[in-house]
Coordinates of all heavy atoms in Angstrom, one line a residue:
A253 N -16.2 50.0 6.7 CA -16.0 51.2 6.1 C -14.5 51.4 5.7 O -14.2 52.0 4.5 CB -16.4 52.4 7.0
R254 N -13.6 51.1 6.5 CA -12.2 51.4 6.3 C -11.8 50.5 5.0 O -11.0 50.9 4.0 CB -11.3 51.0 7.4 CG -11.3 52.0 8.6 CD -10.2 51.9 9.5 NE -10.2 50.5 10.3 CZ -10.8 50.3 11.2 NH1 -11.6 51.3 11.9 NH2 -10.7 49.1 11.8
F255 N -12.3 49.2 5.0 CA -12.0 48.3 3.9 C -12.6 48.9 2.6 O -11.9 48.9 1.5 CB -12.6 46.9 4.1 CG -12.5 46.0 3.1 CD1 -11.4 46.0 2.1 CD2 -13.4 45.1 2.9 CE1 -11.4 45.0 1.1 CE2 -13.4 44.1 1.9 CZ -12.3 44.1 1.0
L256 N -13.9 49.4 2.7 CA -14.5 49.9 1.5 C -13.8 51.1 0.9 O -13.6 51.2 -0.3 CB -16.0 50.3 1.8 CG -16.8 50.7 0.7 CD1 -16.9 49.7 -0.4 CD2 -18.2 51.0 1.2
L257 N -13.3 52.0 1.8 CA -12.5 53.3 1.4 C -11.3 52.8 0.7 O -10.9 53.4 -0.3 CB -12.4 54.2 2.6 CG -13.8 54.9 3.0 CD1 -13.3 55.5 4.5 CD2 -14.2 55.9 2.2
N258 N -10.6 52.0 1.3 CA -9.4 51.4 0.9 C -9.5 50.8 -0.6 O -8.7 51.1 -1.5 CB -8.6 50.5 1.8 CG -7.4 50.0 1.2 OD1 -6.3 50.7 1.3 ND2 -7.3 48.7 0.9
R259 N -10.6 49.9 -0.6 CA -10.8 49.3 -1.9 C -11.1 50.3 -3.0 O -10.9 50.0 -4.2 CB -11.8 48.2 -1.8 CG -12.1 47.4 -3.1 CD -10.9 46.7 -3.5 NE -11.0 46.0 -4.8 CZ -11.1 46.3 -5.9 NH1 -10.6 47.7 -6.1 NH2 -11.2 45.7 -6.9
S260 N -11.9 51.3 -2.6 CA -12.4 52.2 -3.6 C -11.3 53.4 -3.9 O -11.6 54.3 -4.7 CB -13.6 53.0 -3.0 OG -14.6 52.2 -2.5
K261 N -10.1 53.3 -3.3 CA -8.9 54.0 -3.5 C -9.3 55.5 -3.2 O -8.8 56.4 -3.9 CB -8.6 53.9 -5.0 CG -8.1 52.4 -5.5 CD -7.6 52.4 -7.0 CE -7.2 51.1 -7.3 NZ -6.7 51.0 -8.8
I262 N -10.1 55.6 -2.2 CA -10.2 57.0 -1.5 C -9.2 57.2 -0.4 O -9.4 56.7 0.7 CB -11.7 57.1 -1.1 CG1 -12.7 56.8 -2.2 CG2 -12.0 58.5 -0.4 CD1 -14.1 56.8 -1.9
D263 N -8.2 57.7 -0.8 CA -6.9 58.0 0.2 C -7.2 59.0 1.3 O -6.6 58.8 2.3 CB -5.8 58.2 -0.6 CG -5.3 57.0 -1.6 OD1 -5.6 55.8 -1.4 OD2 -4.8 57.4 -2.7
H264 N -8.0 59.9 0.9 CA -8.1 61.0 2.0 C -9.6 61.3 2.0 O -10.0 62.4 1.6 CB -7.3 62.2 1.4 CG -5.9 62.0 1.2 ND1 -4.9 61.9 2.2 CD2 -5.2 61.9 0.0 CE1 -3.7 61.7 1.7 NE2 -3.9 61.7 0.4
P265 N -10.3 60.3 2.8 CA -11.6 60.5 2.9 C -12.2 61.6 3.8 O -11.4 62.0 4.8 CB -12.1 59.2 3.5 CG -11.0 58.8 4.3 CD -9.8 59.2 3.5
N266 N -13.2 62.4 3.5 CA -13.7 63.4 4.3 C -14.8 62.6 5.2 O -15.2 61.6 5.1 CB -14.2 64.6 3.5 CG -15.3 64.1 2.5 OD1 -16.1 63.3 2.7 ND2 -15.3 64.8 1.4
D267 N -15.4 63.5 6.0 CA -16.5 63.1 7.0 C -17.6 62.5 6.1 O -18.2 61.4 6.6 CB -16.9 64.2 7.8 CG -15.9 64.6 8.9 OD1 -14.9 63.8 9.1 OD2 -16.1 65.7 9.4
G268 N -17.9 63.0 5.1 CA -19.0 62.4 4.3 C -18.7 61.1 3.6 O -19.5 60.3 3.7
D269 N -17.4 60.9 3.2 CA -17.1 59.6 2.7 C -17.1 58.6 3.8 O -17.6 57.5 3.6 CB -15.6 59.8 2.1 CG -15.5 60.7 1.0 OD1 -16.5 60.8 0.2 OD2 -14.4 61.3 0.8
I270 N -16.7 58.9 4.9 CA -16.6 58.0 6.0 C -18.0 57.6 6.5 O -18.4 56.5 6.7 CB -15.9 58.5 7.3 CG1 -14.3 58.6 6.8 CG2 -16.0 57.7 8.5 CD1 -13.7 59.5 7.9
S271 N -18.9 58.6 6.5 CA -20.3 58.3 6.8 C -21.0 57.4 5.7 O -21.7 56.5 6.1 CB -21.1 59.6 7.0 OG -22.4 59.4 7.3

Side-chain angles (χ1 to χ4, degrees):
R254 290 196 298 271
F255 174 32
L256 183 61
L257 291 167
N258 181 72
R259 181 62 181 90
S260 305
K261 300 182 180 180
I262 300 175
D263 297 327
H264 304 288
N266 57 37
D267 291 344
D269 294 327
I270 295 172
S271 176

